[in-house]
Every structure is written in C-alpha cells, then in structure tokens.
Amino acid sequence: MRDFYYMKIIHIISKLAAAGAESIAINLAIHQSSKAEVYIITLGVGDEADVDVINWQRNLLNQYGVTLIELKGRSFRRDMLLLPYILSKKIRGLKPDIVHSHTDRPDIVVSLASRIAKFNIVRTIHNTKIWDTWWLPGYISETGLSDDLIVYISEDTKKTYKELRSKYYLGESKFQHLINNGVSVPYESQWVKRNNLRSIYGINVEKLQVAFFGRMSLQKGCDILMKAIEMIDTNEIEFHFFGSGEELVDLERRARMTDLPVKFHKPVALAPATMHAFDLVVMPSRYEGVGLVSLESQMVGTPVLIADAPGLRESVCEGWPLRVPVEDPFALSKMLRDVAKGCYDLNGLGLKAREWAGDFSVKKMCDQYDLAYENYLRDKA
C-alpha cells in the first residue's frame, strides 16, 4: 500500500454548487491536499444562479492546491455515455490510488468508466433516495460496483444502500463504514451580526426572523414551507429563502400574489455566517442524507426547526422539540406561530444545539476518511 503522503486522489462530483455533497467533497479534498495530490472533477457546469458560490469554491480549491477539472457536460442524459470515456481517459493519465464518487450521477459515470479502466472506488452515500424513479440507470450503476468502499453518512443512508443492493439482487460490498458529515464553520469574526441584517437585507430586526437555506426543489420541501406561511395569521414573522432551484419562480409568484412576508436571496458562500444572524432556520425536507444545513445552523447557535424526515432526524439531538411530521404544513405553521409567541426558549435551544453539533467537525470526518482509505487499500492489496 502506498503511503498517504504519496497518494493521488480524485473526487468526482456532479458540479460545483451550494449543496451538501459538494461541500463535503470540497472540505475533504482540502484536508487531503496537505499530504496527497488531490483532484476534483465535475461532470457538468454549475448553475448561473450559484455563480458567487461557485467562484468562491474555485478560489478556495486553488488556494489549497486542489486541481479542479470541470467537464462541460450540459445534459446528463445526453452526456451519460460520453462522460465515462472522458473520465476513464483522465484516470488512465493520472493513475490515481482512489477515485471517490459523490452522489448517484457520478456513481453511474464512475461505474461505466470502471469497465474501461480499472481503479479503486470509494462511494459516499449522501442521500436516502437513490435512483428512486430511474430503475435502469440505477441497475447499470450498481452492477458495475461490487468491492468499492462504501461510506454512509447516517443510519438512514446505510439502510438506503442495503435496500438499493437488495432491489437489484446484488450483494453488498464487504468494505463499509459510517462516517458522519463534518461541518465547516467560519471564524466568529466572519459571522453576520443581528444588527447588520437591516443594512444587508432590509430586515425588520424587531420581528422573528426565519430563514431557509438550500436548493428550492421538491426534496427540500419549499412548497410545504410556503403552504405553512400562507396559513400564518401573524405579522410578527419574516421569512427569507436563500438559494436557487427549479421551484424558485413558482415560489416567488406565490409570495407575490398573496403579499406574503417572504424575501428571496441568492445562495451565499459561508452560509453559517449568515445563519447566525437569524432567530431560526427551518428545514421542511421530505428526505435528506443527514441535513448539512441543520448541522451548520446549530454549529453557530441558531436553532433549527426540522421535518422528522429520514436522514434529517439524525441531525438533531434526542428529544429535540422543534420538529414536525414530514409533509405537514399545518403542524409546521402551528409550530412557527408558537415560536413567535415565545413558547420556546430560542437562546437556550441555541446553546444546546451548538453543544450537540460540536461533535460534527470537519477534522474528525476527514481523519476517519483517511483511516478508511488506508484500511481499504491495505485490505485490497
């Protein structure tokens, strides 16, 4: 087995984006760059709405000496057969010790590329739904992967992996590890102060300020949150959506038509620094891998209100009071009203959340990946 300090590692992600799996891959690559030769390969280009975050990610990778290779795929369905050949050519040239795939789309490209060029594969299971409605791509992907190192980020994602292999009548890899996501928190000097919200976002600091951070998609439950907001009859709450995505236009239309107390903002780099300035972060997701936004919010002492969804439920401590059933806008609306009425001690919950989330450090996560890599390569040698 090669010493870690002489390894070559390639991380494969869908694209640069303000998203959890991509953030984990970037943090891992930065950590590894101090002792290995590290590359990140994206299969496509990032969304135009995320340009500020993408440019920040590019600069960060360059600062730490991580080589970024951006393939220019535009349509995944169209490029799915071409990308494996391009990737296999890159891999043959670089001769990496590890190719680490993040999420299902990179998985299928890596799986097909491994039929052309042989290499060691690591997969992180980032979500609790994989190939849920795409049976054939999932089959193609999974049949090409057998003795890869599997890392799941929660007990729910572990269950997802096992169900996925069973679905296709395939055996599981003998190399499996549970490694919790680590959260990168900005220095406190970078945190946005409450009083600065007015000048930055035109916010009434006297009202309860509730924020959503993430992709505006069906998975993230933005439509559920909007229904809940429509049911709230108090003017003591303001809502802020930070992100982009396919549901953004519809959400903006709904907020405009009924004059809801909702403002929309572009995705922000160093999101936890902004989360700190809000009273509450809400995550109404239908499912998650674990919920990076939830951990980020708690790390800076801002309580999070979650849906009791697979994966997401593991991001809060036992007995956490700010949770509602999945896809229940009525319960979500009621809890938001209760928070506004002062039924919950947000300061106390913020302190409790910060203490709980402190165990989810980037260093701890990266050290566990290092050990998993080393054990995997040794056992395969």
Side-chain angles (χ1 to χ4, degrees), residues 70-136:
E70 296 183 80
L71 304 183
K72 302 301 181 181
R74 293 282 179 178
S75 167
F76 184 74
R77 291 188 182 186
R78 185 193 66 198
D79 297 331
M80 192 167 64
L81 294 178
L82 179 62
L83 285 171
Y85 289 99
I86 297 173
L87 181 60
S88 63
K89 185 176 180 181
K90 296 282 186 187
I91 289 171
R92 280 174 169 165
L94 292 171
K95 297 181 175 60
D97 298 279
I98 290 283
V99 174
H100 192 151
S101 176
H102 299 266
T103 71
D104 48 3
R105 291 190 174 188
D107 284 353
I108 190 172
V109 174
V110 167
S111 175
L112 291 170
S114 71
R115 293 162 163 92
I116 304 168
K118 298 301 180 184
F119 48 89
N120 296 313
I121 301 170
V122 177
R123 283 199 290 165
T124 296
I125 310 300
H126 285 281
N127 218 327
T128 50
K129 287 192 181 294
I130 304 175
W131 303 118
D132 200 39
T133 57
W134 290 32
W135 192 93
L136 183 58

Side-chain angles (χ1 to χ4, degrees), residues 7-201:
M7 279 191 194
K8 282 187 183 179
I9 302 166
I10 299 176
H11 292 274
I12 313 293
I13 61 176
S14 294
K15 59 187 177 183
L16 293 178
E22 287 72 21
S23 296
I24 293 299
I26 288 170
N27 281 333
L28 191 53
I30 287 171
H31 165 83
Q32 293 166 341
S33 67
S34 65
K35 50 190 175 183
E37 187 176 337
V38 187
Y39 300 79
I40 285 186
I41 297 180
T42 73
L43 302 181
V45 296
D47 297 337
E48 189 173 331
D50 294 347
V51 64
D52 291 342
V53 173
I54 290 170
N55 286 335
W56 175 77
Q57 289 173 334
R58 287 189 182 118
N59 291 335
L60 191 64
L61 292 171
N62 182 64
Q63 177 185 340
Y64 283 92
V66 177
T67 302
L68 175 64
I69 301 172
E70 296 183 80
L71 304 183
K72 302 301 181 181
R74 293 282 179 178
S75 167
F76 184 74
R77 291 188 182 186
R78 185 193 66 198
D79 297 331
M80 192 167 64
L81 294 178
L82 179 62
L83 285 171
Y85 289 99
I86 297 173
L87 181 60
S88 63
K89 185 176 180 181
K90 296 282 186 187
I91 289 171
R92 280 174 169 165
L94 292 171
K95 297 181 175 60
D97 298 279
I98 290 283
V99 174
H100 192 151
S101 176
H102 299 266
T103 71
D104 48 3
R105 291 190 174 188
D107 284 353
I108 190 172
V109 174
V110 167
S111 175
L112 291 170
S114 71
R115 293 162 163 92
I116 304 168
K118 298 301 180 184
F119 48 89
N120 296 313
I121 301 170
V122 177
R123 283 199 290 165
T124 296
I125 310 300
H126 285 281
N127 218 327
T128 50
K129 287 192 181 294
I130 304 175
W131 303 118
D132 200 39
T133 57
W134 290 32
W135 192 93
L136 183 58
Y139 177 78
I140 294 170
S141 177
E142 291 301 316
T143 51
L145 301 165
S146 57
D147 63 348
D148 47 336
L149 169 59
I150 298 296
V151 176
Y152 22 77
I153 62 174
S154 64
E155 290 296 334
D156 281 325
T157 55
K158 176 181 179 179
K159 180 180 176 183
T160 295
Y161 169 72
K162 291 178 178 297
E163 289 176 347
L164 182 67
R165 298 299 289 184
S166 176
K167 172 182 174 180
Y168 297 121
Y169 301 99
L170 299 170
E172 299 175 19
S173 171
K174 63 182 179 181
F175 307 106
Q176 299 185 32
H177 288 272
L178 171 62
I179 300 178
N180 294 126
N181 279 347
V183 180
S184 179
V185 179
Y187 295 113
E188 290 197 24
S189 61
Q190 298 174 293
W191 293 7
V192 178
K193 300 299 185 289
R194 172 79 176 195
N195 291 336
N196 294 339
L197 285 177
R198 187 191 302 274
S199 59
I200 300 173
Y201 299 113

